[in-house]
Amino acid sequence: MAKKTRVALFICCILPHNISAGELLSKAQDWFQALPLESPRQEKLDPFHPQQIILGKTLYFDPRLSASGTQSCNSCHNLSLGGDDNLPTSLGHGWQSSPRNTPTILNSAFNIARFWDKEAAKLELQSMGPIRTGVEWSNSVDHVIKTINSMPQYVKLFRDAFPNDPSPVSLMNTERALDAFKAILVTPSPFDSYLLGNERALSENEKDGLAIFIEKGCVSCHHGKNIGGHDYYPFGVFQNSLSNTPVIGYRDYFVIEETTDHEFIFRAPPLRNVAVTAPYFHAGLVWDLEAAVAIMADAQLGEELSIAEISKITIFLKSLTGIQISFEYPILPVETSSTPRLKIDQLPY
Amino acid sequence: MAKKTRVALFICCILPHNISAGELLSKAQDWFQALPLESPRQEKLDPFHPQQIILGKTLYFDPRLSASGTQSCNSCHNLSLGGDDNLPTSLGHGWQSSPRNTPTILNSAFNIARFWDKEAAKLELQSMGPIRTGVEWSNSVDHVIKTINSMPQYVKLFRDAFPNDPSPVSLMNTERALDAFKAILVTPSPFDSYLLGNERALSENEKDGLAIFIEKGCVSCHHGKNIGGHDYYPFGVFQNSLSNTPVIGYRDYFVIEETTDHEFIFRAPPLRNVAVTAPYFHAGLVWDLEAAVAIMADAQLGEELSIAEISKITIFLKSLTGIQISFEYPILPVETSSTPRLKIDQLPY
């Protein structure tokens, strides 16, 4: 994989320093795609898709999916804060610290690679993983399904969303509904307008930053619809400057295969909304976007960028901040006397 | 206070068992008041009141008011769950358990008594108390004000809400804005329609329950706009049946004055939305509303209610569930490089 990256970098680095406006747009269209206006999934063919979105939104905000009854999807993937929690790493069940910085949920339907760690992804930590993960919700699927089934308002929402399923309240349908909601969390930005041909959507500084972003080779890992989020790369391609960055002790899950091939291999994060989702990197210990740009250039490209270049790339990255999703805050189904309760001696606190 | 309560109970208990529909409405209008359609505060005279509500809503949902960056007002007073968190007691900073069940924020602008414990209220634990309280947000006012001041979008919201204040970002204005937002969290219910003269707003069973509620003397503590929430009473007026209820060990803050006069003296909680805000009592250990009604009749009225009476009172209490507040979920101001961060060795986890 490292070899492939170097080849890509080589190609990028021979791009001319100064290119015309038309050439820049054309290059940008080669590397990136605008966000589609339609749902990225085929669910729109399902006539009950709108009901699935409604159910998904309800589930997304429901803290009763967690063992403690205090944590919802929105606790860490907070839609009022750019789809993440603006923390180095999240706080889960029992105030435990998550091992990785929480990525934004916005536009995540377009990610091919879904986790910081490829090994974690292999372990099938899929979207309903947080239910069971000890440092997240520490719950059981059985308890979640019993909880949902105890509330007639919830059962109705599942029936409305999956009317052809004889047993609509299930983990699979919970996941499908959450995926349907996630798929509408799409944030078009000025950069999309530019990619669609409106050259005035970006300022001259933003376009300069884009040109440097392409020319220096950032695009070799950060490209596509999400400007990243499609594959895993070693952190430290040209030089291992990790001693200068606060990531020591935050390796990939290489312990799983016990080979150093899996040390420091991380997803190239999607860069949409990057300006509103600090802190950065898998450990979330870098708060400043310009500092993050400089670290990446040094570690991945072997380049010491000038202050002006760092500044212009950062200005370009800010053009990736999309229109944040705004919607009606849901009223959740009401508990009943049959809703399972933890006994006093089982209370998680 | 106990004496006063007994006098009130005596008066109620001599009400006739069967009263006419008109008499019931008249009695109800004597004891209760419908929720006003207008704001309960005088702020509507302030032309900037709408901006104060907008700011208040933003602050209400902002987890960055807490030291950990994870807890907002809405974490415990969750507007998607009836304005509380459906837990025995809340989880605060460091996964600490709060000493008391969290009351609903809905209609709380009409409460005269604001805490379960009179002694706690005396200690000036006012609405901004959670900022500093160790088991809640464990933050400092200085840190909150610095955090707000670091975000130009927040400073603008404060300026818009308090344009005549030369230093608009302050603890006082934070509290005023939150109070302005709280004041719109009003949930009119079928019972209000009834109190305004629409006798068909309640079913026959609900009216029977109301008649028993008045006749048995529940109204002596639970009356007014919020059907409670105006004063403190001893728990166990007629007999101390606390050994039968799971409240042992959950006394009032009597340690403050070290006199048994202050044991088990609690606010008569407001009963609006009681059916959607289980569990009950100051310790939050009773989940079933009918069980809570039976315990109260036994402990406060010396009455062993029949199953039919308990059932009808419960049916009446359900008519106090109001139209839940629905609004646009806010997008919060964006952090900047000057937003204060905890250093790694100060991280709360």
Side-chain angles (χ1 to χ4, degrees):
Chain A
M1 189 185 296
K3 197 178 167 193
K4 189 173 142 194
T5 310
R6 286 177 200 212
V7 172
L9 290 175
F10 178 73
I11 295 167
C12 311
C13 291
I14 57 169
L15 281 175
H17 235 294
N18 292 300
I19 55 179
S20 73
E23 281 170 332
L24 180 62
L25 177 57
S26 171
K27 285 281 167 205
Q29 287 166 335
D30 286 347
W31 283 105
F32 309 104
Q33 293 93 51
L35 289 176
L37 294 177
E38 295 195 353
S39 167
R41 294 165 60 90
Q42 291 308 309
E43 286 147 336
K44 58 183 184 291
L45 298 174
D46 182 339
F48 302 103
H49 185 53
Q51 282 77 15
Q52 288 161 19
I53 294 172
I54 291 167
L55 171 61
K57 186 173 90 165
T58 309
L59 290 163
Y60 191 85
F61 280 94
D62 200 329
R64 296 167 300 186
L65 297 187
S66 66
S68 68
T70 62
Q71 296 166 309
S72 67
C73 304
N74 193 62
S75 299
C76 298
H77 299 285
N78 192 329
L79 294 173
S80 67
L81 286 173
D84 74 337
D85 57 6
N86 290 17
L87 292 172
T89 58
S90 298
L91 288 176
H93 188 83
W95 209 253
Q96 292 175 90
S97 186
S98 158
R100 292 283 174 263
N101 178 258
T102 295
T104 178
I105 195 82
L106 299 175
N107 311 298
S108 63
F110 302 108
N111 289 331
I112 298 159
R114 294 174 62 189
F115 295 90
W116 279 110
D117 304 84
K118 196 168 187 176
E119 298 309 305
K122 273 193 202 164
L123 288 174
E124 293 180 80
L125 293 169
Q126 297 307 311
S127 77
M128 292 314 294
I131 287 182
R132 284 170 286 197
T133 307
V135 299
E136 296 191 61
W137 295 347
S138 201
N139 209 349
S140 75
V141 171
D142 271 3
H143 193 262
V144 168
I145 298 298
K146 269 186 203 158
T147 301
I148 292 171
N149 269 322
S150 75
M151 296 182 249
Q153 292 172 4
Y154 246 133
V155 174
K156 183 178 185 310
L157 286 172
F158 273 84
R159 279 208 192 107
D160 291 349
F162 303 103
N164 300 321
D165 190 332
S167 180
V169 179
S170 65
L171 181 66
M172 194 183 76
N173 286 342
T174 300
E175 182 157 3
R176 283 178 65 192
L178 281 166
D179 279 351
F181 178 59
K182 198 170 74 175
I184 66 166
L185 302 177
V186 178
T187 65
S189 69
F191 185 53
D192 293 285
S193 180
Y194 174 79
L195 287 176
L196 293 170
N198 176 9
E199 292 192 39
R200 295 169 66 184
L202 295 189
S203 70
E204 288 310 309
N205 275 336
E206 287 167 339
K207 279 185 268 198
D208 283 356
L210 167 62
I212 300 166
F213 190 86
I214 293 174
E215 184 186 328
K216 292 291 179 184
C218 310
V219 280
S220 58
C221 296
H222 297 283
H223 56 249
K225 279 199 196 86
N226 262 358
I227 307 113
H230 56 276
D231 209 347
Y232 299 84
Y233 300 91
F235 194 8
V237 172
F238 270 78
Q239 59 173 311
N240 193 320
S241 67
L242 299 177
S243 59
N244 297 324
T245 66
V247 299
I248 298 303
Y250 291 87
R251 298 168 167 193
D252 188 9
Y253 284 104
F254 79 105
V255 286
I256 294 165
E257 301 200 358
E258 291 186 345
T259 152
T260 50
D261 287 354
H262 295 87
E263 280 190 287
F264 303 115
I265 293 181
F266 294 108
R267 178 176 76 155
L271 295 183
R272 287 187 179 276
N273 298 298
V274 68
V276 297
T277 53
Y280 304 113
F281 301 126
H282 52 289
L285 295 175
V286 176
W287 289 94
D288 187 68
L289 186 52
E290 297 200 335
V293 169
I295 289 169
M296 285 309 281
D298 180 40
Q300 302 301 90
L301 308 173
E303 285 260 5
E304 195 177 331
L305 298 180
S306 71
I307 289 174
E309 286 170 326
I310 291 170
S311 170
K312 286 192 173 174
I313 288 178
T314 304
I315 288 169
F316 160 63
L317 292 177
K318 288 182 180 170
S319 79
L320 302 176
T321 301
I323 298 160
Q324 301 296 294
I325 311 285
S326 174
F327 48 75
E328 199 172 279
Y329 191 58
I331 303 299
L332 299 178
V334 177
E335 296 182 15
T336 66
S337 57
S338 67
T339 302
R341 316 287 181 195
L342 290 170
K343 289 180 185 158
I344 298 170
D345 59 0
Q346 294 172 329
L347 287 178
Y349 39 92
Chain B
M1 188 186 298
K3 198 178 167 194
K4 190 173 141 196
T5 309
R6 286 175 199 212
V7 172
L9 290 177
F10 179 72
I11 295 168
C12 313
C13 292
I14 56 169
L15 281 175
H17 234 293
N18 292 300
I19 55 177
S20 73
E23 280 171 333
L24 179 62
L25 177 57
S26 171
K27 284 282 169 205
Q29 287 167 334
D30 285 348
W31 283 105
F32 308 105
Q33 293 93 51
L35 289 176
L37 294 176
E38 294 195 353
S39 166
R41 295 165 61 89
Q42 290 310 307
E43 287 147 336
K44 59 183 183 289
L45 298 174
D46 183 338
F48 302 102
H49 185 52
Q51 282 77 16
Q52 288 162 19
I53 294 172
I54 290 167
L55 171 60
K57 185 172 91 164
T58 308
L59 290 162
Y60 191 84
F61 280 93
D62 200 330
R64 297 167 300 188
L65 297 187
S66 65
S68 68
T70 63
Q71 297 166 308
S72 68
C73 303
N74 194 62
S75 299
C76 298
H77 298 286
N78 191 329
L79 294 173
S80 68
L81 287 172
D84 73 338
D85 56 6
N86 291 15
L87 292 173
T89 57
S90 297
L91 288 176
H93 188 83
W95 208 253
Q96 291 176 90
S97 185
S98 157
R100 293 283 175 263
N101 178 257
T102 295
T104 179
I105 195 81
L106 299 176
N107 310 298
S108 64
F110 301 110
N111 289 332
I112 297 159
R114 294 174 63 189
F115 295 89
W116 278 109
D117 304 84
K118 195 168 186 175
E119 298 309 305
K122 272 191 200 166
L123 287 173
E124 294 178 79
L125 294 169
Q126 297 306 310
S127 77
M128 291 316 294
I131 286 182
R132 284 169 286 196
T133 307
V135 299
E136 297 189 60
W137 295 346
S138 202
N139 210 348
S140 75
V141 171
D142 270 2
H143 193 263
V144 168
I145 298 299
K146 268 186 204 157
T147 301
I148 293 171
N149 269 321
S150 74
M151 296 183 249
Q153 292 172 2
Y154 246 134
V155 174
K156 181 176 186 311
L157 285 172
F158 272 85
R159 279 209 192 109
D160 290 349
F162 304 102
N164 301 321
D165 189 331
S167 180
V169 179
S170 65
L171 181 66
M172 195 182 76
N173 287 342
T174 300
E175 182 156 4
R176 283 177 66 192
L178 281 166
D179 280 351
F181 177 60
K182 197 171 73 176
I184 65 165
L185 302 176
V186 178
T187 65
S189 69
F191 185 53
D192 294 285
S193 180
Y194 175 79
L195 288 176
L196 293 170
N198 175 9
E199 292 192 38
R200 295 169 66 185
L202 295 190
S203 70
E204 288 310 308
N205 275 336
E206 286 167 339
K207 279 186 268 198
D208 284 356
L210 168 63
I212 300 166
F213 190 86
I214 294 174
E215 184 186 327
K216 293 290 180 185
C218 309
V219 280
S220 59
C221 295
H222 297 283
H223 56 248
K225 280 198 196 86
N226 263 357
I227 308 113
H230 55 277
D231 209 347
Y232 299 83
Y233 300 92
F235 195 8
V237 172
F238 270 78
Q239 58 172 311
N240 192 321
S241 66
L242 299 178
S243 59
N244 298 324
T245 66
V247 298
I248 298 303
Y250 291 87
R251 298 168 167 192
D252 188 10
Y253 284 103
F254 79 106
V255 287
I256 293 163
E257 299 201 359
E258 291 187 343
T259 152
T260 50
D261 288 354
H262 296 87
E263 280 190 286
F264 302 115
I265 293 180
F266 294 108
R267 179 176 76 154
L271 296 183
R272 287 187 179 276
N273 298 298
V274 69
V276 296
T277 53
Y280 304 113
F281 301 127
H282 52 291
L285 294 174
V286 177
W287 288 94
D288 187 68
L289 185 52
E290 296 200 335
V293 169
I295 289 168
M296 285 309 281
D298 180 40
Q300 303 301 91
L301 309 173
E303 286 258 6
E304 195 177 329
L305 298 180
S306 70
I307 289 173
E309 287 171 325
I310 291 169
S311 170
K312 286 192 173 175
I313 288 177
T314 304
I315 288 169
F316 160 63
L317 292 177
K318 288 181 180 170
S319 78
L320 302 176
T321 301
I323 298 160
Q324 301 296 294
I325 310 286
S326 175
F327 47 75
E328 199 172 278
Y329 191 57
I331 302 299
L332 299 178
V334 176
E335 297 182 14
T336 66
S337 57
S338 67
T339 302
R341 317 287 180 193
L342 291 169
K343 289 182 185 156
I344 298 170
D345 58 0
Q346 294 172 329
L347 287 178
Y349 39 91

